[in-house]
Amino acid sequence: MVGGGDVRPVGLAGASTVNMLSVADIEGSPAAYVAVERFTGELNGRKGSFVLQHSPPGSHGEQIAIRAVQGTGSGDLAGITGAFEIIQSEDGCHSYVLGYTLG
């Protein structure tokens, strides 16, 4: 989703660096994590960088929240805000949706 609610494919190309902390439950399965991710590259023809904050709820099966951290955009991506959604299909494939605005 871009700007005023237009829905179109997002062209996201670049690289990310992630700092992550995770914990396992008593059985050794993943239980929770937090992460901060710096993306640098191009978003729909705009070059720059921004930070994504991963904030999972901590319980199995709950929806993860990933958002663009306000004030972290640089270059053509200055002023970016929004949310990044990971959608997992029943067959285990993932797709991604980035809803954002540029201020």
Side-chain angles (χ1 to χ4, degrees):
M1 188 155 61
V2 181
D6 298 342
V7 176
R8 49 182 132 146
V10 173
L12 186 65
S16 290
T17 302
V18 179
N19 293 305
M20 181 174 131
L21 176 64
S22 64
V23 296
D25 63 18
I26 198 161
E27 283 111 27
S29 298
Y33 84 95
V34 294
V36 178
E37 176 178 359
R38 160 94 43 204
F39 168 81
T40 302
E42 193 170 322
L43 174 60
N44 287 338
R46 298 173 183 257
K47 294 182 180 179
S49 67
F50 59 93
V51 172
L52 293 166
Q53 177 184 3
H54 299 235
S55 302
S59 297
H60 298 286
E62 291 184 19
Q63 184 72 22
I64 185 173
I66 304 173
R67 66 179 186 88
V69 178
Q70 189 170 358
T72 63
S74 70
D76 296 336
L77 300 175
I80 191 169
T81 59
F84 189 90
E85 183 179 0
I86 300 172
I87 301 167
Q88 184 174 353
S89 64
E90 289 183 20
D91 65 1
C93 291
H94 292 79
S95 59
Y96 308 94
V97 175
L98 176 60
Y100 71 94
T101 58
L102 290 168

